Amino acid sequence: MPKGQEYDAIIIGAGMSGMAAAIRLAMYDKKVCLLEKHIISGGLNSYYARGKRKMDVGLHALTNFATKNERRKPLTKLLKQLRIPYDELELYEQTESTISFPDKTIRFNNDIDLFKSEVARLFPKEVEGFHQLLDKIENFNEVALDNETVMAKDVVKQYIKNEELLEMIFCPLLIYGSAWENDMDFSQFVIMFKSIYLEGFGRTRGGVRKIIDLLLKRMEEVGVEIIFRNGVSEILTEGERIIGVRTTRGQTLKSPLILSCAGYPETLGLTDLPSNSQEHNQDQSKDQGYPLPRVGRMSFTETMITLNKSPRDLGLDKTIIFHNERDHYCYQRPGELIDPKSAVLCFPNNFSEDDYQEGILRVTMMANYDLWKALDKEDYSLQKEYVLNEAKRVLKIYMPELKESDITFSDVFTPLTVEKFTGHWGGCVYGSPDKSRDGKTPFEGLYLCGTDQGFLGIIGSMLSGISMANLYGLMAQ
Ligand SMILES: Cc1cc2nc3c(=O)[nH]c(=O)nc-3n(C[C@H](O)[C@H](O)[C@H](O)COP(=O)(O)OP(=O)(O)OC[C@H]3O[C@@H](n4cnc5c(N)ncnc54)[C@H](O)[C@@H]3O)c2cc1C
C-alpha cells in the first residue's frame, strides 16, 4: 500500500456533478478531496475571459425551471440537498423558444399548454396521441437505476404518427443531451422532455458564474479540499478494489471511495484495465469481462458574438431557436467539419430579465472531431472563420437587419477546445453512448457521476452527483 494522505472520498473533476457530490459528502463530515486538472471549476459549463469580457462557455439556459414554491421539482430538491437557498440563484424564465423547420415552426415556453396548442394548430390529427404521450411521460420513472435501454423513437412512434412532428419533438431533446446519434434511450428522452418542455428554461443572473460561485462557497463552508491544476494521472487499485489516486503533481492520495465526472472511457483510462482509446473507440467489446464504453461521436462548435445593441433592437425576441433547414432532422456526426444546415441559436438577453451590458448571440452546430483534429494550424484558423460566417448566415435568417457594424466581438470554440479544457475524449459533450446508470465501474469503490452516469446538463449533472454521493458515500455506511 503506497504512503499518502487519506480521505473518506476523492472526487475526480470539478464538473457540476463532482462539486455537488463533494458538497453532499462533506456536509456529513466526510473528509473530501476534489482534484481538478484545469485552473477553474465548472467543466463543460464554465467561463473564460477575453480582455475585460467574461464569457460563459456553455450556458444557453438552465433546464428544469421551477418556481420557489414547487417543492417536488428536481431543481428545488437539489437546492434542498445542497442547502442552497432558491433566492440566491436569482433565476428568471425564458420568454419563448421555437423549433423551426422549413415549413413549420412550433413555439413553446415553460407552460406546456402552449406546446399543446401548437400541436392542435399544426398537427390536428396528432392531438390525441400527443396527450397520450404526455400521460406516458408524466407517469414514467425515468430515474430508476434499473431501467432497461429502449430506443425512444420506437416508443414515441406508438403515439405520434406524423414524422415531422416526431422529429420536431426530438430536435431540442437530441441536441441538448443525446450521446446517441438520431435517437436516444427512452429514459433519457423522458428526462430531457420533462426538463425542457414540462419544466422549461431559465437563467441565473450573472450566468453560469452564479452557479459556480454558489457551489464554491458551499464547498468552502462544508470543508471540501479542492485542488486545481492537479489532475488524477492514475487510479490505484489492489485487485478489484480501488485504494487511491496518483496526481499529476506526483502525490499519492488514498481513499476507499472515488467518484469521477471525467467520463466513463476517460476514467477507465486512468486504471490499469485495457480501455478504449480515442483512436479505437467504436467497439463495445465485452472480451475483457466487462463492457468497454465507447467514446461518444457527438461534438459541436460554439460561436459567440457580442453586439452593440440588443437582439430585440433587431426584432428578435425569442430565447432559443432550434433551427433545421432540412426536411428531416439529422442529429449525427457530420461528414464535414460542421453541419451548417441545423443549429441552436441562443439569445441570452431574451429571458424575462436582461442583466447583460451588451447583446449576445450564441450558435451551436454539430461538428466532426476527427476532421478538426486533422487540420494544421493555419487551416484551423481559416475554418473557424468559416464557422463564424455560417453562424452569421443562419442568424441573418432570423435577424435580416444584423450588420457587421453591430458586431463588437466574436469567438469560435471547436471540438478541440472542448477536449482541451474538459479532458473529454473526442471533444464529446454528452459523453459515451454506454452509460452506467448505477454509476458502477469494474472496480469496487470507483463510481461515475455526471454525464456518463446518464444525467447531464447543469441540473441533471448536479442531481447525479448528489444521488451517487448519497448512494455510495452516505447510505452505503
Ligand atoms: C457548449 C456547451 C453548451 C452547453 N449548454 C448547456 C446549457 O445551456 N444548459 C445545460 O444545462 N447544460 C449545457 N451544457 C452541458 C453541461 O455543461 C454538461 O452536461 C455538464 O456541465 C456536465 O457536467 P459533469 O459533472 O458531467 O462534468 P464535466 O463538465 O464533464 O466536468 C468534468 C471535469 O473533470 C475534469 N477532469 C477530467 N479529467 C480529469 C482528471 N484526470 N483529473 C482531474 N480532473 C479531471 C475536467 O477538467 C472537468 O472539469 C453545455 C455544454 C457545452 C459544452
Side-chain angles (χ1 to χ4, degrees):
M1 178 92 129
K3 284 196 176 152
Q5 210 164 342
E6 289 194 32
Y7 293 91
D8 295 319
I10 291 173
I11 312 289
I12 305 179
M16 297 291 174
S17 63
M19 290 193 280
I23 294 169
R24 195 69 198 143
L25 292 170
M27 276 169 64
Y28 291 88
D29 296 328
K30 303 285 178 201
K31 190 178 173 200
V32 182
C33 178
L34 194 163
L35 294 160
E36 168 54 53
K37 66 182 195 169
H38 193 26
I39 48 171
I40 50 170
S41 47
L44 286 165
N45 224 312
S46 196
Y47 57 89
Y48 72 111
R50 277 284 184 281
K52 285 185 184 156
R53 271 192 191 89
K54 277 197 174 167
M55 305 286 291
D56 283 352
V57 177
L59 188 68
H60 282 189
L62 274 187
T63 55
N64 304 87
F65 181 84
T67 58
K68 188 174 180 176
N69 299 322
E70 290 179 290
R71 293 190 190 283
R72 296 178 58 199
K73 290 288 174 66
L75 175 66
T76 40
K77 276 200 268 189
L78 101 76
L79 292 174
K80 191 173 169 209
Q81 292 260 320
L82 299 179
R83 311 271 191 281
I84 295 177
Y86 178 94
D87 290 338
E88 288 194 15
L89 276 184
E90 298 189 85
L91 191 63
Y92 37 88
E93 291 190 63
Q94 69 165 322
T95 49
E96 186 179 288
S97 297
T98 63
I99 307 161
S100 298
F101 276 38
D103 60 348
K104 285 195 178 64
T105 294
I106 289 179
R107 297 155 52 224
F108 69 98
N109 57 18
N110 291 357
D111 180 351
I112 190 65
D113 285 346
L114 176 58
F115 205 129
K116 286 183 190 165
S117 69
E118 289 289 271
V119 172
R121 180 173 69 85
L122 296 165
F123 302 96
K125 289 187 185 150
E126 299 292 331
V127 169
E128 199 181 331
F130 186 67
H131 283 244
Q132 286 169 354
L133 176 66
L134 287 177
D135 279 348
K136 164 98 183 162
I137 289 168
E138 276 166 5
N139 293 314
F140 186 81
N141 181 9
E142 68 280 9
V143 294
L145 296 183
D146 56 357
N147 280 346
E148 281 178 21
T149 301
V150 180
M151 293 327 279
K153 281 191 179 164
D154 291 339
V155 181
V156 177
K157 275 180 186 160
Q158 294 167 27
Y159 302 91
I160 304 294
K161 304 296 173 204
N162 183 293
E163 193 69 25
E164 190 177 15
L165 175 59
L166 183 114
E167 292 194 4
M168 291 181 94
I169 293 170
F170 268 85
C171 164
L173 312 187
L174 288 167
I175 198 152
Y176 265 5
S178 179
W180 295 269
E181 293 176 288
N182 287 317
D183 205 344
M184 63 209 302
D185 168 43
F186 186 67
S187 297
Q188 185 71 20
F189 171 85
V190 174
I191 290 172
M192 297 301 295
F193 194 103
K194 287 183 177 171
S195 69
I196 292 178
Y197 296 140
L198 297 184
E199 287 151 21
F201 295 133
R203 183 177 182 277
T204 45
R205 183 180 298 277
V208 77
R209 267 160 293 154
K210 167 61 60 73
I211 302 164
I212 292 175
D213 287 350
L214 285 171
L215 293 173
L216 287 172
K217 183 171 148 228
R218 279 302 284 143
M219 281 198 282
E220 196 181 334
E221 283 166 1
V222 295
V224 173
E225 187 179 334
I226 175 163
I227 312 176
F228 291 103
R229 266 192 257 216
N230 197 12
V232 170
S233 55
E234 191 184 346
I235 294 173
L236 305 171
T237 56
E238 251 175 25
E240 290 182 355
R241 196 162 219 311
I242 57 98
I243 52 167
V245 298
R246 190 135 31 236
T247 74
T248 47
R249 288 192 207 157
Q251 295 159 292
T252 299
L253 308 179
K254 292 195 280 181
S255 177
L257 175 65
I258 298 177
L259 295 179
S260 171
C261 66
Y264 198 176
E266 295 87 344
T267 299
L268 285 191
L270 297 169
T271 71
D272 57 3
L273 283 180
S275 105
N276 272 321
S277 68
Q278 32 184 337
E279 285 78 31
H280 306 97
N281 60 25
Q282 295 317 321
D283 295 322
Q284 196 195 10
S285 144
K286 297 197 177 184
D287 291 352
Q288 316 298 331
Y290 61 91
L292 280 182
R294 289 165 291 178
V295 177
R297 285 169 52 80
M298 292 309 297
S299 192
F300 304 93
T301 56
E302 181 80 4
T303 303
M304 270 89 54
I305 295 174
T306 61
L307 302 180
N308 55 15
K309 53 184 65 160
S310 129
R312 280 196 171 92
D313 297 335
L314 296 166
L316 200 291
D317 61 357
K318 301 290 176 258
T319 306
I320 298 175
I321 297 174
F322 296 91
H323 167 80
N324 171 41
E325 292 175 22
R326 294 191 181 89
D327 293 337
H328 292 282
Y329 181 62
C330 292
Y331 179 74
Q332 60 194 42
R333 177 188 271 219
E336 308 161 52
L337 287 166
I338 55 163
D339 177 357
K341 296 221 172 282
S342 75
V344 184
L345 314 180
C346 175
F347 306 94
N349 304 83
N350 293 344
F351 283 80
S352 59
E353 285 182 40
D354 178 6
D355 61 291
Y356 282 106
Q357 309 299 316
E358 56 193 350
I360 308 215
L361 316 174
R362 308 184 58 118
V363 181
T364 309
M365 288 174 168
M366 289 171 243
N368 183 317
Y369 168 86
D370 290 338
L371 297 180
W372 281 97
K373 183 89 178 161
L375 296 175
D376 63 28
K377 208 171 167 191
E378 197 180 323
D379 258 358
Y380 183 73
S381 303
L382 280 173
Q383 296 302 341
K384 280 174 59 162
E385 274 303 305
Y386 158 67
V387 175
L388 176 61
N389 287 332
E390 281 302 316
K392 287 180 194 165
R393 177 189 67 79
V394 178
L395 284 165
K396 281 180 186 164
I397 297 173
Y398 300 93
M399 310 166 86
E401 287 170 28
L402 177 66
K403 293 193 211 64
E404 282 299 319
S405 56
D406 299 328
I407 296 176
T408 50
F409 168 83
S410 62
D411 200 3
V412 174
F413 287 174
T414 74
L416 303 192
T417 326
V418 175
E419 182 182 55
K420 181 171 172 197
F421 290 105
T422 68
H424 283 293
W425 291 350
C428 72
V429 172
Y430 301 134
S432 169
D434 305 310
K435 304 295 181 196
S436 169
R437 293 187 63 80
D438 56 9
K440 287 184 179 163
T441 69
F443 291 101
E444 208 183 312
L446 174 63
Y447 303 100
L448 303 177
C449 59
T451 308
D452 278 348
Q453 191 251 323
F455 290 83
L456 41 76
I458 297 170
I459 302 299
S461 51
M462 283 199 266
L463 283 168
S464 162
I466 290 170
S467 62
M468 292 298 102
N470 288 347
L471 189 60
Y472 298 114
L474 302 178
M475 275 149 58
Q477 302 293 292

